Amino acid sequence: DAGVTQSPTHLIKTRGQHVTLRCSPISGHKSVSWYQQVLGQGPQFIFQYYEKEERGRGNFPDRFSARQFPNYSSELNVNALLLGDSALYLCASSLVGEEKLFFGSGTQLSVL
Amino acid sequence: DQQVKQNSPSLSVQEGRISILNCDYTNSMFDYFLWYKKYPAEGPTFLISISSIKDKNEDGRFTVFLNKSAKHLSLHIVPSQPGDSAVYFCAAQTNQFYFGTGTSLTVIP
Protein backbone atom coordinates (compact mmCIF):
# COMPACT_ATOMS: atom_id res chain seq x y z
CA ASP A 1 0.00 0.00 0.00
CA ALA A 2 1.17 3.49 -0.80
CA GLY A 3 2.06 5.76 2.06
CA VAL A 4 1.17 9.42 2.35
CA THR A 5 2.11 11.16 -0.87
CA GLN A 6 2.80 14.87 -1.22
CA SER A 7 3.37 17.02 -4.26
CA PRO A 8 5.40 18.78 -5.32
CA THR A 9 8.56 17.72 -3.47
CA HIS A 10 10.26 21.06 -3.96
CA LEU A 11 8.95 24.50 -4.83
CA ILE A 12 10.51 27.93 -5.26
CA LYS A 13 8.32 31.01 -5.07
CA THR A 14 8.83 34.74 -4.66
CA ARG A 15 7.40 36.97 -1.99
CA GLY A 16 3.74 37.85 -2.48
CA GLN A 17 2.95 34.82 -4.57
CA HIS A 18 0.47 32.09 -3.74
CA VAL A 19 1.22 28.37 -3.36
CA THR A 20 -0.86 25.20 -3.26
CA LEU A 21 0.50 22.00 -1.75
CA ARG A 22 -1.21 18.64 -2.19
CA CYS A 23 -1.49 15.52 -0.08
CA SER A 24 -2.98 12.07 -0.59
CA PRO A 25 -3.49 10.09 2.61
CA ILE A 26 -3.00 6.39 3.16
CA SER A 27 -5.96 4.45 1.85
CA GLY A 28 -8.58 4.21 4.57
CA HIS A 29 -7.28 7.19 6.52
CA LYS A 30 -9.90 9.92 6.75
CA SER A 31 -7.97 12.41 8.87
CA VAL A 32 -5.31 14.66 7.36
CA SER A 33 -3.11 17.14 9.20
CA TRP A 34 -0.63 19.73 7.98
CA TYR A 35 2.58 20.74 9.72
CA GLN A 36 5.27 23.33 9.07
CA GLN A 37 8.84 22.45 9.94
CA VAL A 38 11.34 25.26 9.93
CA LEU A 39 15.01 24.28 9.85
CA GLY A 40 16.21 23.31 13.31
CA GLN A 41 12.71 23.12 14.76
CA GLY A 42 10.12 20.42 15.22
CA PRO A 43 6.96 20.19 13.13
CA GLN A 44 4.37 22.80 14.06
CA PHE A 45 0.68 22.05 13.70
CA ILE A 46 -1.21 24.07 11.07
CA PHE A 47 -4.53 22.29 10.39
CA GLN A 48 -6.41 19.06 10.87
CA TYR A 49 -9.27 17.95 8.62
CA TYR A 50 -11.52 14.96 8.62
CA GLU A 51 -14.81 14.35 6.91
CA LYS A 52 -13.99 17.45 4.88
CA GLU A 53 -14.31 19.74 7.89
CA GLU A 54 -11.64 21.67 9.75
CA ARG A 55 -11.22 20.03 13.15
CA GLY A 56 -8.29 21.97 14.46
CA ARG A 57 -6.15 24.96 13.63
CA GLY A 58 -2.76 25.99 14.93
CA ASN A 59 -1.41 29.48 15.49
CA PHE A 60 -1.01 30.50 11.86
CA PRO A 61 -2.29 33.63 10.08
CA ASP A 62 -5.32 33.65 7.80
CA ARG A 63 -2.99 33.54 4.81
CA PHE A 64 -2.92 29.82 5.46
CA SER A 65 -5.97 27.81 4.45
CA ALA A 66 -6.72 24.22 3.63
CA ARG A 67 -9.45 21.94 2.45
CA GLN A 68 -10.20 18.26 2.20
CA PHE A 69 -11.88 16.59 -0.73
CA PRO A 70 -14.42 13.74 -0.83
CA ASN A 71 -11.60 11.25 -1.52
CA TYR A 72 -9.90 12.55 1.69
CA SER A 73 -7.01 14.14 -0.16
CA SER A 74 -6.14 17.64 0.94
CA GLU A 75 -4.67 20.93 -0.21
CA LEU A 76 -2.81 23.53 1.78
CA ASN A 77 -2.89 27.05 0.38
CA VAL A 78 -0.68 29.91 1.42
CA ASN A 79 -1.33 33.42 0.10
CA ALA A 80 0.94 36.46 0.03
CA LEU A 81 4.06 34.44 0.70
CA LEU A 82 6.66 35.82 3.07
CA LEU A 83 10.32 34.90 3.36
CA GLY A 84 9.49 33.31 6.73
CA ASP A 85 7.15 30.83 5.07
CA SER A 86 10.19 28.99 3.75
CA ALA A 87 9.98 25.59 5.40
CA LEU A 88 9.28 21.91 4.96
CA TYR A 89 5.52 21.36 4.85
CA LEU A 90 4.49 17.95 6.09
CA CYS A 91 1.20 16.21 5.62
CA ALA A 92 0.14 13.41 7.96
CA SER A 93 -2.78 11.04 7.79
CA SER A 94 -4.35 8.90 10.46
CA LEU A 95 -7.38 6.82 11.25
CA VAL A 96 -9.98 8.95 13.00
CA GLY A 97 -9.50 8.63 16.74
CA GLU A 98 -6.05 7.11 16.40
CA GLU A 99 -3.09 8.96 17.87
CA LYS A 100 -0.50 7.60 15.45
CA LEU A 101 0.29 9.94 12.56
CA PHE A 102 1.79 8.74 9.28
CA PHE A 103 3.79 11.45 7.55
CA GLY A 104 4.60 12.08 3.94
CA SER A 105 8.10 13.13 2.84
CA GLY A 106 7.04 16.75 2.69
CA THR A 107 7.19 19.68 0.30
CA GLN A 108 10.25 21.89 0.66
CA LEU A 109 9.10 25.46 -0.02
CA SER A 110 11.62 28.21 -0.61
CA VAL A 111 10.40 31.79 -0.76
CA LEU A 112 12.86 34.22 -2.36
CA ASP B 1 5.61 29.02 23.87
CA GLN B 2 7.40 25.70 23.58
CA GLN B 3 5.27 23.13 25.41
CA VAL B 4 7.51 20.22 24.49
CA LYS B 5 11.27 20.59 24.83
CA GLN B 6 14.21 18.47 23.85
CA ASN B 7 17.19 20.17 25.42
CA SER B 8 19.88 18.03 23.82
CA PRO B 9 20.24 18.87 20.13
CA SER B 10 22.64 15.99 19.57
CA LEU B 11 23.84 12.73 21.10
CA SER B 12 26.62 10.32 20.12
CA VAL B 13 26.68 6.73 21.33
CA GLN B 14 28.85 3.71 20.60
CA GLU B 15 27.21 0.82 18.80
CA GLY B 16 25.82 -1.72 21.27
CA ARG B 17 25.48 0.78 24.10
CA ILE B 18 22.32 2.38 25.39
CA SER B 19 20.96 5.61 23.86
CA ILE B 20 18.80 7.76 26.13
CA LEU B 21 16.87 10.62 24.59
CA ASN B 22 15.03 13.02 26.85
CA CYS B 23 11.99 15.22 26.53
CA ASP B 24 10.29 17.63 28.94
CA TYR B 25 6.81 19.09 28.71
CA THR B 26 4.87 21.78 30.48
CA ASN B 27 1.20 20.96 29.89
CA SER B 28 -0.25 18.49 32.38
CA MET B 29 -3.27 17.99 30.08
CA PHE B 30 -1.28 16.00 27.53
CA ASP B 31 -2.84 12.54 27.33
CA TYR B 32 -0.63 10.79 24.81
CA PHE B 33 3.07 10.90 24.00
CA LEU B 34 4.90 9.63 20.94
CA TRP B 35 8.41 9.36 19.56
CA TYR B 36 9.17 9.80 15.88
CA LYS B 37 12.35 9.14 13.96
CA LYS B 38 13.33 11.21 10.94
CA TYR B 39 15.93 10.47 8.28
CA PRO B 40 17.06 13.23 5.89
CA ALA B 41 14.69 13.86 2.97
CA GLU B 42 12.00 11.72 4.57
CA GLY B 43 9.00 12.46 6.74
CA PRO B 44 8.99 11.47 10.42
CA THR B 45 8.12 7.83 11.07
CA PHE B 46 6.33 6.62 14.16
CA LEU B 47 8.50 4.74 16.62
CA ILE B 48 6.70 4.18 19.92
CA SER B 49 4.00 5.78 22.05
CA ILE B 50 2.70 5.84 25.60
CA SER B 51 -0.57 6.83 27.17
CA SER B 52 -0.53 9.21 30.11
CA ILE B 53 -2.03 6.49 32.30
CA LYS B 54 1.09 4.34 31.92
CA ASP B 55 4.68 4.89 32.97
CA LYS B 56 6.45 2.48 30.62
CA ASN B 57 5.98 0.99 27.20
CA GLU B 58 8.38 -1.39 25.50
CA ASP B 59 8.70 -2.48 21.89
CA GLY B 60 11.75 -4.55 21.06
CA ARG B 61 14.87 -2.44 21.51
CA PHE B 62 12.83 0.67 22.27
CA THR B 63 11.38 1.61 25.64
CA VAL B 64 9.61 4.83 26.54
CA PHE B 65 9.37 5.98 30.14
CA LEU B 66 6.93 8.60 31.40
CA ASN B 67 7.38 10.47 34.67
CA LYS B 68 4.23 12.56 35.04
CA SER B 69 5.25 14.23 38.28
CA ALA B 70 8.43 15.51 36.64
CA LYS B 71 6.70 16.08 33.28
CA HIS B 72 9.51 14.11 31.69
CA LEU B 73 9.62 11.55 28.93
CA SER B 74 12.58 9.44 27.83
CA LEU B 75 13.33 6.99 25.04
CA HIS B 76 15.81 4.19 25.63
CA ILE B 77 17.34 2.30 22.72
CA VAL B 78 19.20 -0.87 23.66
CA PRO B 79 21.40 -1.96 22.02
CA SER B 80 22.00 1.02 19.74
CA GLN B 81 22.73 0.25 16.09
CA PRO B 82 24.24 2.43 13.34
CA GLY B 83 20.87 2.37 11.53
CA ASP B 84 19.37 4.18 14.53
CA SER B 85 21.28 7.32 13.53
CA ALA B 86 18.55 9.87 12.82
CA VAL B 87 16.76 12.84 14.33
CA TYR B 88 14.31 11.86 17.06
CA PHE B 89 11.29 13.99 17.90
CA CYS B 90 9.07 13.59 20.90
CA ALA B 91 5.47 14.69 20.56
CA ALA B 92 2.59 15.20 22.97
CA GLN B 93 -1.11 15.36 22.27
CA THR B 94 -4.13 17.15 23.66
CA ASN B 95 -6.44 18.35 20.92
CA GLN B 96 -3.41 18.71 18.67
CA PHE B 97 0.14 17.44 18.52
CA TYR B 98 3.06 19.43 19.87
CA PHE B 99 6.56 18.42 18.78
CA GLY B 100 9.92 19.02 20.37
CA THR B 101 12.84 20.46 18.42
CA GLY B 102 14.50 17.09 17.95
CA THR B 103 17.68 15.30 19.03
CA SER B 104 20.14 14.13 16.40
CA LEU B 105 21.42 10.69 17.39
CA THR B 106 24.65 9.36 15.94
CA VAL B 107 25.52 5.74 16.64
CA ILE B 108 29.22 5.16 16.08
CA PRO B 109 30.19 1.72 14.74
Side-chain angles (χ1 to χ4, degrees):
Chain A
D1 280 344
V4 178
T5 57
Q6 292 187 242
S7 63
T9 55
H10 295 84
L11 203 50
I12 299 174
K13 292 284 189 178
T14 57
R15 281 180 299 174
Q17 285 189 311
H18 163 270
V19 68
T20 297
L21 310 181
R22 295 178 174 83
C23 172
S24 293
I26 291 172
S27 177
H29 286 191
K30 299 182 179 180
S31 175
V32 171
S33 302
W34 288 94
Y35 289 81
Q36 181 195 65
Q37 186 179 9
V38 173
L39 192 64
Q41 300 295 317
Q44 187 172 0
F45 174 72
I46 309 175
F47 286 111
Q48 183 194 18
Y49 276 78
Y50 61 87
E51 297 296 351
K52 295 172 287 181
E53 290 189 15
E54 182 182 305
R55 304 291 181 168
R57 183 184 183 113
N59 188 24
F60 280 81
D62 292 343
R63 300 185 295 108
F64 289 76
S65 64
R67 55 180 177 167
Q68 186 177 35
F69 300 98
N71 66 353
Y72 305 108
S73 67
S74 179
E75 283 183 355
L76 175 70
N77 295 283
V78 187
N79 293 322
L81 285 166
L82 303 174
L83 297 179
D85 295 331
S86 296
L88 178 67
Y89 288 85
L90 294 162
C91 174
S93 74
S94 64
L95 295 168
V96 175
E98 278 264 320
E99 294 80 11
K100 191 188 305 183
L101 300 176
F102 293 82
F103 284 89
S105 296
T107 295
Q108 184 66 54
L109 173 65
S110 298
V111 182
L112 305 179
Chain B
D1 181 22
Q2 193 73 21
Q3 299 196 38
V4 178
K5 298 180 182 179
Q6 294 176 257
N7 292 318
S8 297
S10 63
L11 175 68
S12 291
V13 173
Q14 289 286 337
E15 180 179 4
R17 304 294 293 268
I18 185 172
S19 295
I20 301 176
L21 294 93
N22 294 303
C23 180
D24 297 298
Y25 61 94
T26 57
N27 188 345
S28 58
M29 298 302 292
F30 287 138
D31 52 16
Y32 212 76
F33 302 88
L34 307 92
W35 284 94
Y36 282 84
K37 180 168 73 172
K38 187 177 185 305
Y39 294 117
E42 295 182 11
T45 55
F46 171 79
L47 196 56
I48 193 169
S49 62
I50 187 168
S51 165
S52 62
I53 62 173
K54 296 185 175 182
D55 54 20
K56 178 182 175 181
N57 188 28
E58 191 172 353
D59 183 3
R61 297 186 297 113
F62 303 92
T63 303
V64 57
F65 295 92
L66 176 62
N67 182 335
K68 288 186 288 295
S69 61
K71 295 191 176 66
H72 180 80
L73 189 70
S74 64
L75 174 68
H76 292 209
I77 306 173
V78 181
S80 300
Q81 300 173 353
D84 296 329
S85 297
V87 177
Y88 289 77
F89 292 98
C90 68
Q93 183 193 28
T94 52
N95 56 341
Q96 64 174 264
F97 282 94
Y98 296 85
F99 284 80
T101 52
T103 296
S104 178
L105 174 65
T106 301
V107 180
I108 304 166

